[in-house]
């Protein structure tokens, strides 16, 4: 079942970003993932204020592919850099409707 990573990222420093984008894109592709959204153009229209500079949505073949990416040793130094250089949250969501 298709799964999605949904991230909200606000950099607290920008030094990690240039060396993050290209190699992480390759690691994402290695796990069958692809970017659907990677933008600073977003507007919150409902709920408590949840600011973020960047919204990202990745599509994965399944939940396990997303988790394999997050736990990939090749990704570990980039994940560390993102965590240290930003305020961010990452959700993995399966593409299903539990309320149908």
């Amino acid at each position: 079942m298709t799964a999605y990573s949904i991230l909200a990222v606000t950099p607290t420093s920008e030094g990690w970003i240039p060396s993050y984008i290209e190699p992480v894109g390759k690691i994402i592709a290695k796990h069958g993932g692809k970017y659907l959204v990677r933008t600073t153009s977003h507007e919150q229209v409902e709920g408590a204020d949840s600011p973020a500079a960047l919204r990202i949505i990745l599509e994965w073949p399944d939940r396990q592919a997303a988790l394999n990416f997050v736990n990939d040793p090749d990704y570990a130094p980039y994940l560390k850099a993102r965590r240290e250089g930003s305020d961010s949250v990452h959700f993995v969501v399966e593409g299903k409707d539990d309320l149908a």
Side-chain angles (χ1 to χ4, degrees):
M1 171 180 306
T2 303
Y4 302 90
S5 283
I6 302 171
L7 295 95
V9 179
T10 300
T12 55
S13 68
E14 296 192 6
W16 61 275
I17 298 171
S19 60
Y20 180 95
I21 294 171
E22 184 180 344
V24 170
K26 290 177 182 177
I27 299 167
I28 289 167
K30 178 173 91 172
H31 292 283
K34 66 179 181 179
Y35 285 104
L36 297 180
V37 174
R38 185 169 41 169
T39 186
T40 59
S41 300
H42 53 83
E43 177 181 2
Q44 183 171 340
V45 296
E46 195 173 325
D49 191 29
S50 181
L54 184 63
R55 302 290 176 164
I56 301 160
I57 301 174
L58 295 148
E59 182 179 74
W60 303 100
D62 53 38
R63 179 180 172 276
Q64 191 59 53
L67 297 177
N68 289 346
F69 161 72
V70 170
N71 294 309
D72 187 321
D74 291 338
Y75 181 54
Y78 300 104
L79 176 59
K80 182 177 187 284
R82 180 175 58 80
R83 286 180 173 165
E84 290 176 355
S86 73
D87 293 323
S88 58
V89 295
H90 181 175
F91 295 91
V92 173
V93 180
E94 288 185 315
K96 62 181 181 173
D97 184 350
D98 288 335
L99 302 180

